[in-house]
Amino acid sequence: VAPPQDLQITDPGLLGSLDIEWKPPLNVQTFNECTVKYKFEYRNTGDRDWKVVFTRKLKFRVGFDLSRTAEVKVQTLLEGRCTDDVEVQSDWIYATFQVPLQGRLESEVQNFHCIYHDWEYLKCTWQPGLLAPRGVHYGLYYWYEGLDHAVQCDDYIQDHGINIGCMLQNLSQAEYKDLSICVNGSAAATLLRPLYITLRLHNLAKPSPPKQLVVSMSASEELHVAWSPPDGETPPQCLEYEVQLAEDQGEAKAAWASVSTQMETALTISRANQSIPCVRVRGRTNIFCADEGFWSEWTQECFSVSRKEDKQLFILIPVILSLSSSLIIFMLIGQCKKR
């Protein structure tokens, strides 16, 4: 069987999503009793593995890192009565695509970093490139499936008049999709290298700290810890929590030790000794909703719980003071009667 024809790669201007298209082999009309399919593979130069798609389509849109060369290849697969049900493969046809990269690599922005806070807004920050001159202007553009075209950020973070970050709102439609981003720069008489990157929002999520932390000690010296999911749009079923305990060392810094990582919002810990524990909790997106994510900040630094004996002592002190006051009053009344 002959390979496909006219393999082409075109850039629709979607910051990395390229259109791949080919035509059927010349002799496809002669295989009426067979199924014609295609094996389509693609990767960026430098990647070890190819991504593989088996299809009967003749056109695909797939994402690439535009800072590197895009490579694709396609072959024909033929199987059915005309081949005695044995799969026959054609030779491969190949194509590549590379965006002309202007400027030196050192002019690209540095330390690009994004966090998806509370599943509500994305905050991306960067630093000017090493070769960026004064008066440089940076712009961030983004696209995800569902948008007709790439969109520019409309809420920049600035430092001395230079854009060093961007706040993106209303991205719920982009969750669990590839979010393509380009940060490019312009300066007088200087060419700057654009940065291309593809993100997944759920892998950048950082929730707020858990709230309403309640800690108590039972009569049997069991420590009960309970809390509520944080504020924000983070799905409660997507959260896991880490609980840490430390002994209260007064002015000394507490030595924290993790006692549990769980999805539940309550924990009971048996405390054989009667020391005063400090408790703190933090959360992050669990493995059922993301491959990775950022831990939230901890709840308050040290949530102390008094010992049972301390509680009993606090109850006895006012009782003793009350009895002592009553005894003194009776003694004074007696002295007055004698006089």
Side-chain angles (χ1 to χ4, degrees):
V1 61
Q5 307 175 81
D6 299 333
L7 177 60
Q8 296 181 358
I9 305 175
T10 56
D11 182 6
L14 302 179
L15 310 181
S17 289
L18 302 180
D19 288 334
I20 319 298
E21 189 173 6
W22 60 90
K23 295 179 181 179
L26 284 173
N27 58 349
V28 70
Q29 301 296 336
T30 63
F31 304 118
N32 295 327
E33 296 181 340
C34 277
T35 300
V36 178
K37 297 188 297 185
Y38 304 97
K39 185 177 182 181
F40 166 54
E41 299 188 8
Y42 63 99
R43 70 177 181 182
N44 275 111
T45 299
D47 292 345
R48 180 177 178 181
D49 300 319
W50 294 82
K51 296 179 181 178
V52 182
V53 177
F54 293 92
T55 182
R56 299 182 67 176
K57 298 179 180 180
L58 298 173
K59 185 175 182 178
F60 265 89
R61 174 172 288 175
V62 292
F64 292 90
D65 177 1
L66 290 187
S67 64
R68 297 181 288 155
T69 302
E71 302 179 13
V72 301
K73 60 181 180 178
V74 186
Q75 69 175 175
T76 308
L77 304 178
L78 188 66
E79 185 176 7
R81 292 179 61 184
C82 67
T83 63
D84 293 329
D85 294 322
V86 176
E87 184 178 80
V88 177
Q89 302 174 349
S90 74
D91 293 332
W92 292 98
I93 57 171
Y94 298 84
T96 61
F97 180 87
Q98 174 68 69
V99 172
L101 295 178
Q102 63 182 24
R104 294 174 58 182
L105 181 61
E106 293 81 5
S107 66
E108 184 181 272
V109 295
Q110 305 178 86
N111 301 324
F112 184 82
H113 182 69
C114 295
I115 296 179
Y116 192 35
H117 291 273
D118 293 321
W119 292 56
E120 291 182 346
Y121 65 94
L122 181 70
K123 180 179 179 181
C124 295
T125 57
W126 60 84
Q127 294 175 341
L130 294 175
L131 299 181
R134 291 184 178 181
V136 62
H137 175 76
Y138 289 111
L140 180 144
Y141 299 82
Y142 65 96
W143 179 87
Y144 57 85
E145 185 179 356
L147 294 179
D148 296 331
H149 53 82
V151 181
Q152 183 175 184
C153 171
D154 60 3
D155 186 9
Y156 284 106
I157 303 168
Q158 293 191 333
D159 180 29
H160 296 92
I162 298 177
N163 294 339
I164 60 164
C166 171
M167 305 280 284
L168 296 178
Q169 310 276 355
N170 303 319
L171 292 176
S172 60
Q173 297 299 317
E175 291 171 2
Y176 295 99
K177 296 180 181 179
D178 286 338
L179 177 65
S180 300
I181 289 179
C182 173
V183 181
N184 61 16
S186 60
T190 304
L191 295 177
L192 302 179
R193 177 74 61 91
L195 169 73
Y196 293 97
I197 193 166
T198 301
L199 307 175
R200 283 293 186 101
L201 292 177
H202 55 281
N203 289 330
L204 302 172
K206 181 178 180 178
S208 295
K211 61 180 183 178
Q212 298 175 350
L213 178 63
V214 177
V215 185
S216 60
M217 185 82 77
S218 69
S220 58
E221 295 299 328
E222 285 185 331
L223 185 67
H224 299 288
V225 185
W227 59 92
S228 298
D231 293 325
E233 297 299 321
T234 305
Q237 71 274 13
C238 286
L239 286 168
E240 68 175 355
Y241 303 94
E242 182 181 16
V243 183
Q244 285 191 347
L245 263 64
E247 305 304 332
D248 187 358
Q249 300 180 3
E251 296 298 326
K253 187 175 181 180
W256 295 95
S258 180
V259 293
S260 177
T261 300
Q262 61 184 52
M263 294 177 61
E264 295 79 15
T265 58
L267 178 67
T268 299
I269 305 168
S270 177
R271 302 290 292 171
N273 56 23
Q274 297 179 355
S275 58
I276 304 176
C278 298
V279 183
R280 64 182 184 182
V281 185
R282 64 178 179 175
R284 72 173 175 186
T285 309
N286 60 43
I287 60 173
F288 300 105
C289 297
D291 297 325
E292 54 189 333
F294 297 104
W295 283 107
S296 73
E297 303 302 323
W298 291 101
T299 51
Q300 63 186 82
E301 181 65 19
C302 188
F303 197 114
S304 300
V305 181
S306 300
R307 293 196 303 257
K308 178 182 175 182
E309 292 85 354
D310 294 337
K311 293 179 181 179
Q312 292 175 340
L313 181 61
F314 290 142
I315 295 173
L316 287 174
I317 288 175
V319 174
I320 294 172
L321 290 174
S322 178
L323 291 174
S324 300
S325 300
S326 300
L327 182 60
I328 293 172
I329 291 172
F330 285 128
M331 290 176 64
L332 291 173
I333 292 173
Q335 291 292 332
C336 290
K337 287 181 178 181
K338 288 181 180 180
R339 291 178 181 179

